[in-house]
Amino acid sequence: MTPVLEARNLKRDYHIPGSLLKKGKTVHAVKGVSFKVEQGKTLSIVGESGCGKSTLARMVTMIDPVTSGEMLIDGQKVDIAAEPLSSDMRSKVQIVFQNPYGSLNPRKKIGDILTEPLIINTKIPAAERRDRAMAMLKKVGLEEKHYSRYPHMFSGGQRQRVAIARALMLNPRLLVLDEPVSALDLSVQAQVLNLLADLQEEFHLTYVFISHDLSVVRHISDDVMVMYFGEAVEYGSRDQVFNDPQHSYTKTLFAATPRVDVEAIKARLERRKRA
Amino acid sequence: MSLLEIQNLVVEFQTASGPFRAVDGVSLKVDEGEVLAIVGESGSGKSVSMLAAMGLLPWTAKVTADKLLFNGRDLQAMSDRDRRKIIGKEISMIFQEPVASLNPCFTVGYQIEEVLRVHTDLDRKARWDRAIELFQLVGIPNPEERLGHYPHQMSGGQCQRVMIATALACNPKLLIADEPTTALDVTIQKQILDLLMKLQAEHGMGLIMITHDMGVVAETADRVIVQYKGRKIEEADVLSLFESPKSVYTKALLSALPENAVGGRLPTITEKLTDQQIFEGAVR
């Protein structure tokens, strides 16, 4: 079976133009990353800010062109720098952003937000667009009455549901989730993670999940890739990476993650008493 | 005598649709050398209660309390002028967004010096030396050079170190840290938490850690207060809270941690709990 997404030695450089007194320079944001994701699976990309994980997300979502390397979606090669993208291709990959307060247009009603991808990419008539949006609202756990409300009337978790619904309107094959739960409270985070799992099962969706929260990653992923300064320093199945990390950076990352188990707390209190 | 003692604190905001009660009868105590974590989700009133205690809320807020004592002195009865002598000197605060809470128009050195100028009698030379000392304390390399930098020239982690340095400038007795690591990466979070805990132990400060992150609570606290919608739901020492949570809400919160359910679905009990059930299940 061809993987939904395959990347071969993907690179992305950003050129910072120089001025009279300053020389221009090139930032290598992503330095040759290869991976693939099969249908219905979740690949998580972990790393700290500035490691290139969001640049990678932009390339996969076909917002940013790749500098070099190959990207295949459903076995088909894509290069947005060489040729404009068909709307068919565009609807295969959708993205959900981190901040649900910034990613929804405050002047548009939820219904308009949800039907807009259909207006742009398809020729579906208005009545059907409305029906589909209504159905999608229910799928993500909202209600039909929410159709004509504005984003500011919703909580963070509900807005993230709307953002997920919008991404699913075009029946994508691949969903890129760029830190979708890091702005949410713990209990709301659990609800959204459950929703994502349900939707994945129902639509056989493939996820590229970008996060810095290792406990969430461990919960949701099949495969994990750890990035550090634009390079993939670790790539493998979830259990492989979590049980037997190879690279020193991965180990540092695991050691830095706060532990909530009782044993860890006992050990800390013991150390504190002695000090 | 406790360092900070708050009894029955109520904070109300006047809104278009009548008064809104952000904090509803919260009581707490912090001793010297103790780390108290206040944990809760957004809207639980954890930040507002601390801002109220420090008198930093705008005039639209109505603050009442049966007791509001710092080191035995009544903060409510005090004049603004007297209170300002304590705030920033004996009680200081670190905020969530390190880059936003520094003034972009001044160098970080100026901003540390400002605290010392207001609260101490040190002369210019002594203030500068103290600033260098503070930068070394919080682990910023080349302090002489870094003091002349502007906030935008530093990373988020470095800015948070500057904030900690400013907060510690006058050796406060009580430090209130409001989500000090929420905007930072895990590796940087670890460094900042380690730094805070080290300084807290060395100076014997009281530390109030406001957070929504159970991981941060587990890594830092001696005692924990769980808040929900402005009310205290549970208070316990850190071990008993994680080992045997008493209230329904704390149980539900802890079960929603992704660590506690590898694979499968996460329990979302809080979704089904009504406010009524949460408040009735409170253990104070």
Side-chain angles (χ1 to χ4, degrees):
Chain A
M1 201 172 73
T2 45
V4 173
L5 171 69
E6 188 173 357
R8 295 180 192 148
N9 203 17
L10 226 51
K11 285 185 190 164
R12 172 74 191 160
D13 298 341
Y14 288 107
H15 299 283
I16 298 168
S19 63
L20 199 61
L21 300 169
K22 247 189 196 164
K23 245 177 91 178
K25 63 174 180 182
T26 305
V27 177
H28 304 286
V30 175
K31 306 170 187 168
V33 170
S34 308
F35 56 88
K36 58 181 166 189
V37 205
E38 306 275 348
Q39 186 174 12
K41 300 284 184 202
T42 303
L43 168 71
S44 288
I45 299 173
V46 189
E48 47 192 86
S49 50
C51 75
K53 55 189 197 300
S54 288
T55 305
L56 195 65
R58 292 172 66 89
M59 285 195 285
V60 170
T61 328
M62 299 174 283
I63 299 171
D64 259 9
V66 298
T67 307
S68 73
E70 279 186 332
M71 192 169 75
L72 292 91
I73 288 167
D74 269 339
Q76 207 179 331
K77 208 182 149 197
V78 242
D79 184 5
I80 56 167
E83 54 190 326
L85 211 55
S86 66
S87 62
D88 187 36
M89 212 56 199
R90 189 59 89 194
S91 48
K92 275 190 177 168
V93 186
Q94 292 290 313
I95 188 164
V96 176
F97 293 100
Q98 173 173 9
N99 183 353
Y101 294 87
S103 58
L104 301 175
N105 188 339
R107 290 170 169 254
K108 281 191 171 172
K109 289 177 182 166
I110 300 304
D112 298 327
I113 290 173
L114 292 185
T115 49
E116 194 170 19
L118 296 176
I119 298 174
I120 295 169
N121 289 294
T122 66
K123 291 198 174 73
I124 294 169
E128 201 190 327
R129 287 202 297 262
R130 189 184 161 83
D131 291 346
R132 284 200 190 185
M134 289 287 194
M136 190 55 76
L137 272 179
K138 278 192 225 149
K139 279 259 171 356
V140 297
L142 296 170
E143 291 165 50
E144 284 194 352
K145 64 176 184 203
H146 294 136
Y147 187 88
S148 47
R149 294 194 184 165
Y150 286 95
H152 75 261
M153 303 159 103
F154 292 89
S155 69
Q158 285 175 318
R159 285 187 217 200
Q160 205 56 302
R161 284 172 197 265
V162 174
I164 292 168
R166 174 177 60 183
L168 292 179
M169 284 309 287
L170 290 164
N171 293 321
R173 299 264 291 155
L174 177 71
L175 205 56
V176 177
L177 302 150
D178 191 354
E179 308 249 14
V181 292
S182 50
L184 306 177
D185 275 331
L186 192 57
S187 56
V188 183
Q189 166 178 307
Q191 292 163 20
V192 172
L193 287 175
N194 283 343
L195 171 69
L196 286 172
D198 292 344
L199 292 170
Q200 182 165 43
E201 201 170 310
E202 187 174 347
F203 298 108
H204 305 288
L205 285 167
T206 310
Y207 289 159
V208 171
F209 191 91
I210 293 172
S211 180
H212 66 269
D213 187 338
L214 287 167
S215 56
V216 172
V217 167
R218 187 169 201 167
H219 174 74
I220 202 170
S221 339
D222 296 296
D223 292 324
V224 178
M225 183 162 88
V226 181
M227 287 186 73
Y228 187 57
F229 282 114
E231 279 171 84
V233 294
E234 189 119 14
Y235 177 42
S237 74
R238 177 186 70 191
D239 294 339
Q240 237 176 333
V241 172
F242 275 90
N243 296 337
D244 184 24
Q246 300 296 319
H247 195 271
S248 61
Y249 175 69
T250 318
K251 289 176 190 163
T252 315
L253 205 60
F254 287 161
T257 307
R259 291 177 53 193
V260 290
D261 54 307
V262 173
E263 288 313 310
I265 299 173
K266 272 186 188 153
R268 176 179 68 82
L269 292 174
E270 199 54 43
R271 276 199 308 277
R272 192 165 151 82
K273 214 182 281 170
R274 260 183 285 131
Chain B
M1 186 177 60
S2 311
L3 200 53
L4 181 71
E5 186 177 351
I6 298 175
Q7 218 171 69
N8 195 21
L9 176 72
V10 176
V11 182
E12 277 182 343
F13 289 96
Q14 290 305 328
T15 64
S17 52
F20 172 76
R21 205 167 256 220
V23 179
D24 194 358
V26 168
S27 305
L28 60 88
K29 271 184 189 174
V30 198
D31 289 328
E32 255 172 62
E34 188 187 32
V35 183
L36 170 74
I38 304 180
V39 63
E41 306 189 81
S42 47
S44 62
K46 51 194 194 300
S47 296
V48 174
S49 53
M50 282 304 111
L51 290 172
M54 290 181 76
L56 292 178
L57 287 173
W59 60 271
T60 46
K62 202 175 125 226
V63 182
T64 54
D66 294 348
K67 251 189 200 172
L68 197 57
L69 302 179
F70 173 73
N71 225 353
R73 279 173 292 175
D74 190 349
L75 288 170
Q76 281 178 301
M78 216 175 266
S79 68
D80 285 351
R81 202 189 163 91
D82 286 340
R83 197 176 51 227
R84 274 200 295 272
K85 279 184 193 153
I86 296 178
I87 305 290
K89 190 178 181 192
E90 290 176 60
I91 313 177
S92 58
M93 196 159 178
I94 306 171
F95 298 94
Q96 176 173 359
E97 285 277 335
V99 187
S101 34
L102 290 166
N103 190 332
C105 305
F106 296 98
T107 64
V108 290
Y110 177 87
Q111 294 181 56
I112 290 195
E113 228 194 339
E114 190 178 22
V115 180
L116 294 166
R117 200 171 56 234
V118 173
H119 289 293
T120 65
D121 308 322
L122 299 176
D123 61 23
R124 186 188 291 254
K125 175 76 177 64
R127 289 202 297 264
W128 187 252
D129 289 343
R130 173 76 179 140
I132 289 175
E133 192 189 332
L134 284 164
F135 264 35
Q136 279 162 347
L137 190 69
V138 297
I140 297 177
N142 320 321
E144 288 89 349
E145 190 193 326
R146 290 304 246 173
L147 280 171
H149 281 186
Y150 287 89
H152 75 268
Q153 293 171 298
M154 304 183 124
S155 66
Q158 296 287 8
C159 282
Q160 194 58 291
R161 282 170 200 266
V162 173
M163 283 299 293
I164 295 174
T166 335
L168 292 178
C170 303
N171 288 323
K173 293 197 176 75
L174 176 68
L175 181 64
I176 302 173
D178 187 358
E179 308 257 10
T181 56
T182 305
L184 306 174
D185 283 322
V186 265
T187 45
I188 312 295
Q189 161 168 302
K190 170 93 177 148
Q191 292 169 16
I192 297 288
L193 290 182
D194 286 350
L195 173 70
L196 274 175
M197 295 312 288
K198 186 180 128 233
L199 295 171
Q200 185 271 335
E202 279 173 12
H203 295 254
M205 279 184 301
L207 176 62
I208 299 181
M209 194 73 128
I210 303 174
T211 183
H212 69 275
D213 188 339
M214 283 292 179
V216 173
V217 176
E219 291 274 323
T220 58
D222 296 325
R223 209 151 47 81
V224 188
I225 288 177
V226 182
Q227 272 186 215
Y228 177 78
K229 294 213 172 154
R231 293 198 210 176
K232 184 155 73 169
I233 300 298
E234 185 163 355
E235 179 170 352
D237 64 88
V238 63
L239 198 56
S240 15
L241 187 90
F242 281 89
E243 219 166 22
S244 53
K246 298 273 185 318
S247 69
V248 254
Y249 180 66
T250 317
K251 280 181 199 160
L253 260 192
L254 289 173
S255 72
L257 285 171
E259 290 85 334
N260 292 344
V262 172
R265 293 175 63 82
L266 289 163
T268 51
I269 314 165
T270 44
E271 203 174 5
K272 284 161 210 126
L273 285 175
T274 59
D275 286 359
Q276 185 78 21
Q277 282 170 312
I278 288 176
F279 293 139
E280 275 171 10
V283 183
R284 264 167 273 186

